[in-house]
């Protein structure tokens, strides 16, 4: 059994817990939190909740520690720190800071003989992998990534910070005509506005100026100004009834040409349709936790990404079994 | 530069040649054939055609030899033989014999310090990879593979062997309703007949009994009897005008559930739409030829499959570049 610890018990931590329960070769040893452990109720029977500090003394009881904190401030500090004690997996997704994060984690992990994977999930993660494979196969081509339909937590949070907004759910929606043009191999040049639209469901405070809120949303730089955005004002009851899920997904598409006259076009598409973004992300992380555990046993230490890990390490089946049943 | 040799210059060999031309870090050193070299005209300027026997003396000039023979009789003999002289890539696709082929190639390659990839292409190959990744991420789920619309060379050949048939092109076509049910996460049980239909375009010899030919096709065991098959008789001119290409493709789909109540469904689909089956297969092989070359330089010898190769080995970019641009 691979003994898993989870640090951070928000949506992602709960998603990892679900995933561990689906893998018969894994067991959840404990959930670690910066909150009062008594305030945290986990779903897996018999699993204890510990304060973060307990991680200093549990290195003999945990094979892989999954870090479920945020990329802005938690992971840059936590992942290098715990890479010196555990094999760890995180889902760091601040693209611009990946080189620095990788270097910090790599140094800590190598010094301690541990194995780590950063930026694990579906984007970055499975989408990155599919970009890489398709780029290597079709060097003369063009990449497209479409997200959604799905809930963007960052955009929902941004709207919630507007004065007069009690709650918001923001859906990112790919533009069907743009995807169609890409899938036909036409390699269109697409602006930000042509690729995705944004739809907001907003619960406003009583008496708030709805026209001002709508205008503030639509003109918010970076988040909404470059998109066509629709705003719907709804009640708290409608929010709870119709928008409680966290669906997401999207497509990575590469189209490219082969032949001495570039006469043949090929389209490679990897598409995800996910009822629960955190549970799918947690499922990817669980598979890479297995890889990290096995690579560490083979002496392959340091920081890795999905690019550095041979697919067979993700599976609990042997090479013979994989060749017989999946090749 | 990675110096590539191609042994066998049929559709696949020509596809590999096209792919090498698209990769700036590769050069084609020679094409090797069992035919009279004077009868073989290659497309790449300056590339020579050699008899197979020349391979005995060119080990210093070729980094990776791509074997483009057939799985039935060529590769079981050729791949182990040349694995003792070269790093090799083949596209062996006789599933039942993969364990034996792997063992033979592995023994030869390890003894010679060479690195080999067998069963490389899109199925087996990229489809296998996507089955593996999706199985590891969603252990509680179900796999589906749909092929087409595309030309099946095996089925076309089978029809050509019928008395009175001059030529045939057979298209394998997935059943749209079946794919739709799968994509909705309903995990249907599908019979062979429910997943694909077959369509044959046949040029008959003058005076042939068309009703008998059609009946022989539709009742042919293994190839057609378990499918709904449509037969069209056409002229040689129509065959040349409308059916000269070798398009193919298909989808690997896995749907699975997560959550403590299995309340969330996820759909992972990898879809290929290919204008030229052999050129895309050749493009996959070229990327794995790079991996084989690099793994051999790092001392990783023996027989590999796509499962055993970390994705980064396929790329001519460094780890830093991949993390910065594709993660």
């Amino acid at each position: 059994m691979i003994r898993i610890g989870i640090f951070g018990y928000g949506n992602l931590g709960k998603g990892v817990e679900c995933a561990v329960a689906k893998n018969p070769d894994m067991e959840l040893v404990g959930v670690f939190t910066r909150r009062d452990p008594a305030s945290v109720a986990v779903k897996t029977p018999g699993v204890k909740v510990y304060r973060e500090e307990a991680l200093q003394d549990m290195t003999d009881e945990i094979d892989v520690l999954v870090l479920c904190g945020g990329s802005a401030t938690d992971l840059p500090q936590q992942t290098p720190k715990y890479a010196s004690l555990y094999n760890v997996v995180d889902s760091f997704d601040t693209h611009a800071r990946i080189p620095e994060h990788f270097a910090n984690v790599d140094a800590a992990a190598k010094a301690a003989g541990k194995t780590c994977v950063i930026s694990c999930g579906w984007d970055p993660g499975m989408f990155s992998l599919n970009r890489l494979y398709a780029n290597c196969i079709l060097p003369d081509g063009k990449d497209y990534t479409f997200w959604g339909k799905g809930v963007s937590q960052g955009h929902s949070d941004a709207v919630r910070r507007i004065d007069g907004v009690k709650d918001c759910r923001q859906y990112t929606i790919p533009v069907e005509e743009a995807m169609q043009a890409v899938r036909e191999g036409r390699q269109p040049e697409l602006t930000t506005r042509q690729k995705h639209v944004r739809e907001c469901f907003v619960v406003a405070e009583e008496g708030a100026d709805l026209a001002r809120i709508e205008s503030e949303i639509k003109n918010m730089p970076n988040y909404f100004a470059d998109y066509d955005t629709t705003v719907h004002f709804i009640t708290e009851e409608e929010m709870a009834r119709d928008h409680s899920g966290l669906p997401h997904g999207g497509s990575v598409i590469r189209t490219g040409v082969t032949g001495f006259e570039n006469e043949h076009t090929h389209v490679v598409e990897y598409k995800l349709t996910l009822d629960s973004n955190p549970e799918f992300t947690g499922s990817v992380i669980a598979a890479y936790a297995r890889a990290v555990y096995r690579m560490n046993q083979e002496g392959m230490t340091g920081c890795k990404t999905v690019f550095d890990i041979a697919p067979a390490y993700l599976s609990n089946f042997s090479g013979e079994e994989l060749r017989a049943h999946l090749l």
Side-chain angles (χ1 to χ4, degrees), chain A residues 149-189:
Chain A
K149 181 181 178 177
V151 174
S152 165
Q153 310 221 45
H155 287 77
S156 301
D157 289 343
V159 173
R160 278 190 212 103
R161 285 191 291 266
I162 292 174
D163 194 46
V165 171
K166 280 175 86 168
D167 199 2
C168 173
R169 205 72 82 255
Q170 193 271 185
Y171 294 91
T172 306
I173 304 169
V175 175
E176 199 52 52
E177 298 73 36
M179 294 186 82
Q180 199 48 44
V182 169
R183 285 179 178 138
E184 287 168 7
R186 292 193 258 142
Q187 302 202 356
E189 293 292 335

mmCIF file of all heavy atoms in Angstrom, chain A residues 149-189:
data_model
loop_
_atom_site.group_PDB
_atom_site.id
_atom_site.type_symbol
_atom_site.label_atom_id
_atom_site.label_comp_id
_atom_site.label_asym_id
_atom_site.label_seq_id
_atom_site.Cartn_x
_atom_site.Cartn_y
_atom_site.Cartn_z
ATOM 1 N N LYS A 149 -16.928 24.129 -21.430
ATOM 2 C CA LYS A 149 -17.607 25.002 -20.503
ATOM 3 C C LYS A 149 -17.284 24.604 -19.079
ATOM 4 O O LYS A 149 -17.393 23.418 -18.724
ATOM 5 C CB LYS A 149 -19.123 24.934 -20.743
ATOM 6 C CG LYS A 149 -19.883 25.854 -19.815
ATOM 7 C CD LYS A 149 -21.389 25.769 -20.045
ATOM 8 C CE LYS A 149 -22.118 26.690 -19.039
ATOM 9 N NZ LYS A 149 -23.583 26.661 -19.326
ATOM 10 N N GLY A 150 -16.923 25.605 -18.235
ATOM 11 C CA GLY A 150 -16.614 25.273 -16.872
ATOM 12 C C GLY A 150 -16.495 26.490 -15.985
ATOM 13 O O GLY A 150 -16.391 27.620 -16.464
ATOM 14 N N VAL A 151 -16.498 26.214 -14.688
ATOM 15 C CA VAL A 151 -16.421 27.277 -13.687
ATOM 16 C C VAL A 151 -14.969 27.695 -13.497
ATOM 17 O O VAL A 151 -14.114 26.863 -13.199
ATOM 18 C CB VAL A 151 -16.991 26.795 -12.337
ATOM 19 C CG1 VAL A 151 -16.765 27.860 -11.260
ATOM 20 C CG2 VAL A 151 -18.469 26.462 -12.459
ATOM 21 N N SER A 152 -14.680 28.983 -13.680
ATOM 22 C CA SER A 152 -13.370 29.520 -13.347
ATOM 23 C C SER A 152 -13.449 30.120 -11.950
ATOM 24 O O SER A 152 -14.158 31.107 -11.724
ATOM 25 C CB SER A 152 -12.955 30.594 -14.347
ATOM 26 O OG SER A 152 -11.864 31.342 -13.823
ATOM 27 N N GLN A 153 -12.705 29.528 -11.041
ATOM 28 C CA GLN A 153 -12.760 30.015 -9.659
ATOM 29 C C GLN A 153 -12.107 31.379 -9.540
ATOM 30 O O GLN A 153 -12.576 32.233 -8.786
ATOM 31 C CB GLN A 153 -12.093 29.002 -8.738
ATOM 32 C CG GLN A 153 -12.642 27.594 -9.006
ATOM 33 C CD GLN A 153 -12.894 26.790 -7.753
ATOM 34 O OE1 GLN A 153 -13.455 27.292 -6.787
ATOM 35 N NE2 GLN A 153 -12.465 25.548 -7.775
ATOM 36 N N GLY A 154 -11.037 31.616 -10.297
ATOM 37 C CA GLY A 154 -10.375 32.911 -10.248
ATOM 38 C C GLY A 154 -11.290 34.037 -10.710
ATOM 39 O O GLY A 154 -11.339 35.108 -10.089
ATOM 40 N N HIS A 155 -12.034 33.800 -11.790
ATOM 41 C CA HIS A 155 -12.944 34.834 -12.293
ATOM 42 C C HIS A 155 -14.137 35.012 -11.358
ATOM 43 O O HIS A 155 -14.627 36.121 -11.171
ATOM 44 C CB HIS A 155 -13.410 34.497 -13.709
ATOM 45 C CG HIS A 155 -12.332 34.696 -14.733
ATOM 46 N ND1 HIS A 155 -11.302 33.797 -14.910
ATOM 47 C CD2 HIS A 155 -12.101 35.713 -15.600
ATOM 48 C CE1 HIS A 155 -10.496 34.253 -15.851
ATOM 49 N NE2 HIS A 155 -10.950 35.406 -16.295
ATOM 50 N N SER A 156 -14.630 33.908 -10.780
ATOM 51 C CA SER A 156 -15.740 34.021 -9.825
ATOM 52 C C SER A 156 -15.306 34.860 -8.626
ATOM 53 O O SER A 156 -16.039 35.748 -8.159
ATOM 54 C CB SER A 156 -16.177 32.622 -9.357
ATOM 55 O OG SER A 156 -16.577 31.820 -10.451
ATOM 56 N N ASP A 157 -14.100 34.602 -8.137
ATOM 57 C CA ASP A 157 -13.574 35.363 -6.994
ATOM 58 C C ASP A 157 -13.427 36.838 -7.335
ATOM 59 O O ASP A 157 -13.728 37.715 -6.513
ATOM 60 C CB ASP A 157 -12.202 34.811 -6.572
ATOM 61 C CG ASP A 157 -12.322 33.445 -5.915
ATOM 62 O OD1 ASP A 157 -13.442 33.072 -5.497
ATOM 63 O OD2 ASP A 157 -11.294 32.750 -5.816
ATOM 64 N N ALA A 158 -12.967 37.129 -8.542
ATOM 65 C CA ALA A 158 -12.754 38.525 -8.946
ATOM 66 C C ALA A 158 -14.074 39.299 -8.912
ATOM 67 O O ALA A 158 -14.118 40.455 -8.484
ATOM 68 C CB ALA A 158 -12.127 38.578 -10.341
ATOM 69 N N VAL A 159 -15.147 38.653 -9.365
ATOM 70 C CA VAL A 159 -16.450 39.326 -9.347
ATOM 71 C C VAL A 159 -16.938 39.506 -7.912
ATOM 72 O O VAL A 159 -17.523 40.546 -7.560
ATOM 73 C CB VAL A 159 -17.482 38.539 -10.192
ATOM 74 C CG1 VAL A 159 -18.882 39.135 -10.035
ATOM 75 C CG2 VAL A 159 -17.060 38.524 -11.660
ATOM 76 N N ARG A 160 -16.682 38.525 -7.066
ATOM 77 C CA ARG A 160 -17.133 38.615 -5.661
ATOM 78 C C ARG A 160 -16.512 39.809 -4.933
ATOM 79 O O ARG A 160 -17.056 40.285 -3.947
ATOM 80 C CB ARG A 160 -16.788 37.321 -4.911
ATOM 81 C CG ARG A 160 -17.793 36.216 -5.143
ATOM 82 C CD ARG A 160 -17.558 35.041 -4.194
ATOM 83 N NE ARG A 160 -17.938 33.810 -4.885
ATOM 84 C CZ ARG A 160 -17.097 32.934 -5.410
ATOM 85 N NH1 ARG A 160 -15.784 33.112 -5.279
ATOM 86 N NH2 ARG A 160 -17.538 31.885 -6.049
ATOM 87 N N ARG A 161 -15.362 40.258 -5.412
ATOM 88 C CA ARG A 161 -14.706 41.391 -4.749
ATOM 89 C C ARG A 161 -15.337 42.738 -5.124
ATOM 90 O O ARG A 161 -14.997 43.773 -4.544
ATOM 91 C CB ARG A 161 -13.205 41.396 -5.093
ATOM 92 C CG ARG A 161 -12.424 40.312 -4.345
ATOM 93 C CD ARG A 161 -10.917 40.497 -4.485
ATOM 94 N NE ARG A 161 -10.442 40.246 -5.847
ATOM 95 C CZ ARG A 161 -9.975 39.069 -6.288
ATOM 96 N NH1 ARG A 161 -9.923 38.035 -5.468
ATOM 97 N NH2 ARG A 161 -9.562 38.934 -7.526
ATOM 98 N N ILE A 162 -16.268 42.735 -6.099
ATOM 99 C CA ILE A 162 -16.926 43.990 -6.496
ATOM 100 C C ILE A 162 -17.938 44.385 -5.416
ATOM 101 O O ILE A 162 -18.665 43.535 -4.896
ATOM 102 C CB ILE A 162 -17.623 43.818 -7.865
ATOM 103 C CG1 ILE A 162 -16.558 43.638 -8.967
ATOM 104 C CG2 ILE A 162 -18.529 45.012 -8.177
ATOM 105 C CD1 ILE A 162 -17.147 43.320 -10.332
ATOM 106 N N ASP A 163 -17.978 45.665 -5.128
ATOM 107 C CA ASP A 163 -18.910 46.199 -4.127
ATOM 108 C C ASP A 163 -20.356 45.892 -4.514
ATOM 109 O O ASP A 163 -20.764 46.142 -5.657
ATOM 110 C CB ASP A 163 -18.705 47.723 -4.027
ATOM 111 C CG ASP A 163 -19.368 48.273 -2.790
ATOM 112 O OD1 ASP A 163 -19.199 47.670 -1.705
ATOM 113 O OD2 ASP A 163 -20.074 49.301 -2.918
ATOM 114 N N GLY A 164 -21.127 45.318 -3.589
ATOM 115 C CA GLY A 164 -22.527 45.011 -3.857
ATOM 116 C C GLY A 164 -22.766 43.582 -4.333
ATOM 117 O O GLY A 164 -23.908 43.185 -4.547
ATOM 118 N N VAL A 165 -21.699 42.790 -4.518
ATOM 119 C CA VAL A 165 -21.841 41.397 -4.982
ATOM 120 C C VAL A 165 -21.730 40.445 -3.794
ATOM 121 O O VAL A 165 -20.750 40.484 -3.048
ATOM 122 C CB VAL A 165 -20.760 41.052 -6.032
ATOM 123 C CG1 VAL A 165 -20.771 39.555 -6.341
ATOM 124 C CG2 VAL A 165 -20.975 41.868 -7.296
ATOM 125 N N LYS A 166 -22.759 39.622 -3.601
ATOM 126 C CA LYS A 166 -22.710 38.625 -2.527
ATOM 127 C C LYS A 166 -22.073 37.316 -2.988
ATOM 128 O O LYS A 166 -21.364 36.659 -2.237
ATOM 129 C CB LYS A 166 -24.144 38.308 -2.039
ATOM 130 C CG LYS A 166 -24.704 39.327 -1.078
ATOM 131 C CD LYS A 166 -26.135 39.021 -0.728
ATOM 132 C CE LYS A 166 -26.247 38.029 0.428
ATOM 133 N NZ LYS A 166 -27.664 37.985 0.919
ATOM 134 N N ASP A 167 -22.381 36.928 -4.223
ATOM 135 C CA ASP A 167 -21.837 35.652 -4.713
ATOM 136 C C ASP A 167 -21.794 35.697 -6.242
ATOM 137 O O ASP A 167 -22.534 36.458 -6.876
ATOM 138 C CB ASP A 167 -22.716 34.483 -4.245
ATOM 139 C CG ASP A 167 -21.977 33.145 -4.306
ATOM 140 O OD1 ASP A 167 -20.776 33.124 -4.678
ATOM 141 O OD2 ASP A 167 -22.596 32.114 -3.976
ATOM 142 N N CYS A 168 -20.919 34.892 -6.819
ATOM 143 C CA CYS A 168 -20.830 34.816 -8.281
ATOM 144 C C CYS A 168 -20.306 33.464 -8.712
ATOM 145 O O CYS A 168 -19.462 32.873 -8.051
ATOM 146 C CB CYS A 168 -19.891 35.904 -8.834
ATOM 147 S SG CYS A 168 -19.591 35.729 -10.621
ATOM 148 N N ARG A 169 -20.850 32.995 -9.821
ATOM 149 C CA ARG A 169 -20.260 31.838 -10.501
ATOM 150 C C ARG A 169 -20.004 32.239 -11.935
ATOM 151 O O ARG A 169 -20.919 32.647 -12.650
ATOM 152 C CB ARG A 169 -21.202 30.628 -10.438
ATOM 153 C CG ARG A 169 -20.495 29.326 -10.564
ATOM 154 C CD ARG A 169 -19.673 28.962 -9.300
ATOM 155 N NE ARG A 169 -20.476 28.362 -8.255
ATOM 156 C CZ ARG A 169 -20.850 29.000 -7.134
ATOM 157 N NH1 ARG A 169 -20.500 30.256 -6.898
ATOM 158 N NH2 ARG A 169 -21.566 28.391 -6.225
ATOM 159 N N GLN A 170 -18.738 32.125 -12.374
ATOM 160 C CA GLN A 170 -18.360 32.527 -13.726
ATOM 161 C C GLN A 170 -18.039 31.312 -14.580
ATOM 162 O O GLN A 170 -17.192 30.502 -14.213
ATOM 163 C CB GLN A 170 -17.148 33.466 -13.679
ATOM 164 C CG GLN A 170 -16.878 34.186 -14.992
ATOM 165 C CD GLN A 170 -15.961 33.465 -15.975
ATOM 166 O OE1 GLN A 170 -15.632 34.007 -16.997
ATOM 167 N NE2 GLN A 170 -15.530 32.241 -15.679
ATOM 168 N N TYR A 171 -18.721 31.179 -15.714
ATOM 169 C CA TYR A 171 -18.456 30.084 -16.645
ATOM 170 C C TYR A 171 -17.639 30.585 -17.833
ATOM 171 O O TYR A 171 -17.974 31.604 -18.447
ATOM 172 C CB TYR A 171 -19.763 29.475 -17.166
ATOM 173 C CG TYR A 171 -20.557 28.799 -16.078
ATOM 174 C CD1 TYR A 171 -21.524 29.499 -15.355
ATOM 175 C CD2 TYR A 171 -20.330 27.467 -15.752
ATOM 176 C CE1 TYR A 171 -22.251 28.882 -14.342
ATOM 177 C CE2 TYR A 171 -21.046 26.841 -14.736
ATOM 178 C CZ TYR A 171 -22.006 27.558 -14.039
ATOM 179 O OH TYR A 171 -22.710 26.949 -13.031
ATOM 180 N N THR A 172 -16.566 29.852 -18.137
ATOM 181 C CA THR A 172 -15.783 30.082 -19.344
ATOM 182 C C THR A 172 -16.341 29.153 -20.414
ATOM 183 O O THR A 172 -16.498 27.951 -20.166
ATOM 184 C CB THR A 172 -14.305 29.744 -19.083
ATOM 185 O OG1 THR A 172 -13.861 30.490 -17.941
ATOM 186 C CG2 THR A 172 -13.440 30.055 -20.283
ATOM 187 N N ILE A 173 -16.649 29.714 -21.587
ATOM 188 C CA ILE A 173 -17.308 28.924 -22.637
ATOM 189 C C ILE A 173 -16.542 29.090 -23.941
ATOM 190 O O ILE A 173 -16.344 30.219 -24.409
ATOM 191 C CB ILE A 173 -18.769 29.393 -22.829
ATOM 192 C CG1 ILE A 173 -19.518 29.324 -21.479
ATOM 193 C CG2 ILE A 173 -19.485 28.554 -23.887
ATOM 194 C CD1 ILE A 173 -20.872 30.014 -21.505
ATOM 195 N N PRO A 174 -16.098 27.987 -24.538
ATOM 196 C CA PRO A 174 -15.394 28.125 -25.826
ATOM 197 C C PRO A 174 -16.373 28.481 -26.935
ATOM 198 O O PRO A 174 -17.545 28.096 -26.892
ATOM 199 C CB PRO A 174 -14.804 26.721 -26.049
ATOM 200 C CG PRO A 174 -15.697 25.796 -25.292
ATOM 201 C CD PRO A 174 -16.235 26.582 -24.117
ATOM 202 N N VAL A 175 -15.888 29.213 -27.923
ATOM 203 C CA VAL A 175 -16.732 29.610 -29.056
ATOM 204 C C VAL A 175 -16.757 28.472 -30.075
ATOM 205 O O VAL A 175 -15.725 28.081 -30.624
ATOM 206 C CB VAL A 175 -16.197 30.905 -29.703
ATOM 207 C CG1 VAL A 175 -17.004 31.256 -30.952
ATOM 208 C CG2 VAL A 175 -16.236 32.051 -28.695
ATOM 209 N N GLU A 176 -17.944 27.936 -30.286
ATOM 210 C CA GLU A 176 -18.097 26.718 -31.104
ATOM 211 C C GLU A 176 -17.553 26.911 -32.524
ATOM 212 O O GLU A 176 -16.888 26.025 -33.058
ATOM 213 C CB GLU A 176 -19.582 26.327 -31.137
ATOM 214 C CG GLU A 176 -19.841 24.894 -31.533
ATOM 215 C CD GLU A 176 -19.043 23.878 -30.715
ATOM 216 O OE1 GLU A 176 -19.065 23.913 -29.464
ATOM 217 O OE2 GLU A 176 -18.364 23.040 -31.354
ATOM 218 N N GLU A 177 -17.797 28.078 -33.123
ATOM 219 C CA GLU A 177 -17.343 28.298 -34.505
ATOM 220 C C GLU A 177 -15.811 28.287 -34.578
ATOM 221 O O GLU A 177 -15.226 27.808 -35.544
ATOM 222 C CB GLU A 177 -17.852 29.638 -35.053
ATOM 223 C CG GLU A 177 -19.359 29.760 -35.139
ATOM 224 C CD GLU A 177 -20.026 29.936 -33.768
ATOM 225 O OE1 GLU A 177 -19.434 30.600 -32.895
ATOM 226 O OE2 GLU A 177 -21.123 29.374 -33.565
ATOM 227 N N ALA A 178 -15.171 28.826 -33.541
ATOM 228 C CA ALA A 178 -13.704 28.844 -33.523
ATOM 229 C C ALA A 178 -13.165 27.416 -33.421
ATOM 230 O O ALA A 178 -12.238 27.027 -34.149
ATOM 231 C CB ALA A 178 -13.206 29.684 -32.345
ATOM 232 N N MET A 179 -13.763 26.610 -32.524
ATOM 233 C CA MET A 179 -13.314 25.223 -32.394
ATOM 234 C C MET A 179 -13.524 24.476 -33.701
ATOM 235 O O MET A 179 -12.694 23.662 -34.101
ATOM 236 C CB MET A 179 -14.085 24.511 -31.282
ATOM 237 C CG MET A 179 -13.806 25.064 -29.906
ATOM 238 S SD MET A 179 -14.603 24.055 -28.623
ATOM 239 C CE MET A 179 -13.399 22.752 -28.455
ATOM 240 N N GLN A 180 -14.637 24.755 -34.364
ATOM 241 C CA GLN A 180 -14.932 24.059 -35.617
ATOM 242 C C GLN A 180 -13.878 24.388 -36.680
ATOM 243 O O GLN A 180 -13.383 23.507 -37.375
ATOM 244 C CB GLN A 180 -16.333 24.464 -36.099
ATOM 245 C CG GLN A 180 -16.926 23.498 -37.101
ATOM 246 C CD GLN A 180 -16.819 22.046 -36.659
ATOM 247 O OE1 GLN A 180 -17.084 21.709 -35.506
ATOM 248 N NE2 GLN A 180 -16.383 21.175 -37.564
ATOM 249 N N ALA A 181 -13.517 25.658 -36.762
ATOM 250 C CA ALA A 181 -12.505 26.068 -37.745
ATOM 251 C C ALA A 181 -11.172 25.387 -37.454
ATOM 252 O O ALA A 181 -10.459 24.955 -38.371
ATOM 253 C CB ALA A 181 -12.346 27.588 -37.729
ATOM 254 N N VAL A 182 -10.842 25.271 -36.174
ATOM 255 C CA VAL A 182 -9.592 24.606 -35.801
ATOM 256 C C VAL A 182 -9.654 23.125 -36.156
ATOM 257 O O VAL A 182 -8.716 22.567 -36.746
ATOM 258 C CB VAL A 182 -9.320 24.793 -34.297
ATOM 259 C CG1 VAL A 182 -8.182 23.895 -33.837
ATOM 260 C CG2 VAL A 182 -9.002 26.264 -34.000
ATOM 261 N N ARG A 183 -10.764 22.494 -35.824
ATOM 262 C CA ARG A 183 -10.891 21.049 -36.078
ATOM 263 C C ARG A 183 -10.868 20.717 -37.567
ATOM 264 O O ARG A 183 -10.581 19.589 -37.943
ATOM 265 C CB ARG A 183 -12.200 20.533 -35.472
ATOM 266 C CG ARG A 183 -12.145 20.419 -33.961
ATOM 267 C CD ARG A 183 -13.468 19.932 -33.395
ATOM 268 N NE ARG A 183 -13.386 19.776 -31.950
ATOM 269 C CZ ARG A 183 -14.347 20.152 -31.092
ATOM 270 N NH1 ARG A 183 -15.460 20.696 -31.560
ATOM 271 N NH2 ARG A 183 -14.197 19.971 -29.801
ATOM 272 N N GLU A 184 -11.190 21.678 -38.385
ATOM 273 C CA GLU A 184 -11.125 21.436 -39.835
ATOM 274 C C GLU A 184 -9.714 21.642 -40.378
ATOM 275 O O GLU A 184 -9.488 21.532 -41.581
ATOM 276 C CB GLU A 184 -12.128 22.354 -40.553
ATOM 277 C CG GLU A 184 -13.564 21.898 -40.324
ATOM 278 C CD GLU A 184 -14.599 22.916 -40.772
ATOM 279 O OE1 GLU A 184 -14.208 23.937 -41.384
ATOM 280 O OE2 GLU A 184 -15.794 22.700 -40.496
ATOM 281 N N GLY A 185 -8.767 21.936 -39.481
ATOM 282 C CA GLY A 185 -7.375 22.042 -39.904
ATOM 283 C C GLY A 185 -7.045 23.355 -40.575
ATOM 284 O O GLY A 185 -6.002 23.482 -41.215
ATOM 285 N N ARG A 186 -7.911 24.358 -40.417
ATOM 286 C CA ARG A 186 -7.707 25.613 -41.153
ATOM 287 C C ARG A 186 -6.695 26.550 -40.492
ATOM 288 O O ARG A 186 -6.355 27.585 -41.048
ATOM 289 C CB ARG A 186 -9.056 26.333 -41.326
ATOM 290 C CG ARG A 186 -9.987 25.574 -42.273
ATOM 291 C CD ARG A 186 -11.165 26.436 -42.686
ATOM 292 N NE ARG A 186 -12.383 26.103 -41.968
ATOM 293 C CZ ARG A 186 -13.283 26.996 -41.551
ATOM 294 N NH1 ARG A 186 -13.059 28.296 -41.738
ATOM 295 N NH2 ARG A 186 -14.369 26.618 -40.919
ATOM 296 N N GLN A 187 -6.225 26.203 -39.294
ATOM 297 C CA GLN A 187 -5.213 26.993 -38.582
ATOM 298 C C GLN A 187 -5.559 28.481 -38.538
ATOM 299 O O GLN A 187 -4.731 29.332 -38.905
ATOM 300 C CB GLN A 187 -3.826 26.773 -39.194
ATOM 301 C CG GLN A 187 -3.417 25.294 -39.174
ATOM 302 C CD GLN A 187 -1.916 25.068 -39.265
ATOM 303 O OE1 GLN A 187 -1.128 25.985 -39.422
ATOM 304 N NE2 GLN A 187 -1.511 23.817 -39.109
ATOM 305 N N PRO A 188 -6.740 28.825 -38.054
ATOM 306 C CA PRO A 188 -7.114 30.243 -37.994
ATOM 307 C C PRO A 188 -6.270 30.989 -36.954
ATOM 308 O O PRO A 188 -5.790 30.403 -35.989
ATOM 309 C CB PRO A 188 -8.582 30.197 -37.551
ATOM 310 C CG PRO A 188 -8.711 28.919 -36.786
ATOM 311 C CD PRO A 188 -7.798 27.955 -37.479
ATOM 312 N N GLU A 189 -6.096 32.295 -37.193
ATOM 313 C CA GLU A 189 -5.543 33.182 -36.165
ATOM 314 C C GLU A 189 -6.728 33.685 -35.352
ATOM 315 O O GLU A 189 -7.637 34.312 -35.902
ATOM 316 C CB GLU A 189 -4.811 34.374 -36.797
ATOM 317 C CG GLU A 189 -3.547 34.025 -37.546
ATOM 318 C CD GLU A 189 -2.433 33.546 -36.612
ATOM 319 O OE1 GLU A 189 -2.444 33.921 -35.417
ATOM 320 O OE2 GLU A 189 -1.574 32.780 -37.092
#
